[in-house]
Amino acid sequence: MPGAKTAVDWLVSVAPDPEGCRWEWERNPLGVALLPAGRRWDVLILPGKLGRPTLDVLRLLLGRPGPVLADFGDSRLGFFVPAGTASRWLGTGVRGAGRGTWIVVPYPGRATGGVRWLELPDGEGTLTDPAVLELAMHEAAACVLAKEGRKP
């Protein structure tokens, strides 16, 4: 799509100093930057045990969900959702990063030691719809319980 922002452009657009952020990010040996949540996106952070199956359900439903981060070992997954979602989210066990918080974000396409992209930003601002995420979480939770031999 002509004129579409790249993933890097889209991500650094939320930084207080986008060019300074880009310069530091591209030269940082860890390949990460701290970016503020709550401007263009919030991040809902799920425990890995629920986050991985939720991502699988989202991929079945949507084909390609919005950006998703995972920490080392997949103990937590972060789903990028519209700004303002974190302050309204009531789900137990889900942490929200919204206005006033910062997220460690790896440079797209570069491997890092602590965090990585499971779904890269598309540069167009595609985010996961919170209602669809909630439905996917319910389905994933039911599947996890069924595998453990428990009833949902």
Side-chain angles (χ1 to χ4, degrees), residues 19-124:
E19 289 309 309
C21 176
R22 179 192 303 275
W23 187 90
E24 179 64 29
W25 196 10
E26 292 174 351
R27 286 154 186 81
N28 182 331
L30 298 176
V32 296
L34 279 175
L35 294 176
R39 291 186 179 179
R40 295 189 193 273
W41 39 261
D42 286 356
V43 180
L44 294 179
I45 303 163
L46 282 63
K49 186 175 180 179
L50 178 61
R52 262 304 186 173
T54 296
L55 179 55
D56 292 341
V57 172
L58 282 172
R59 286 175 172 158
L60 288 173
L61 292 173
L62 304 173
R64 188 184 190 295
V68 180
L69 289 173
D71 68 356
F72 185 72
D74 288 354
S75 63
R76 289 182 301 265
L77 273 69
F79 294 81
F80 281 54
V81 293
T85 301
S87 65
R88 297 185 307 269
W89 193 266
L90 300 176
T92 303
V94 177
R95 292 183 14 219
R99 186 167 296 282
T101 61
W102 294 73
I103 299 293
V104 174
V105 179
Y107 190 89
R110 194 179 297 162
T112 68
V115 65
R116 70 186 189 291
W117 292 106
L118 298 179
E119 289 289 339
L120 282 167
D122 62 8
E124 296 177 22

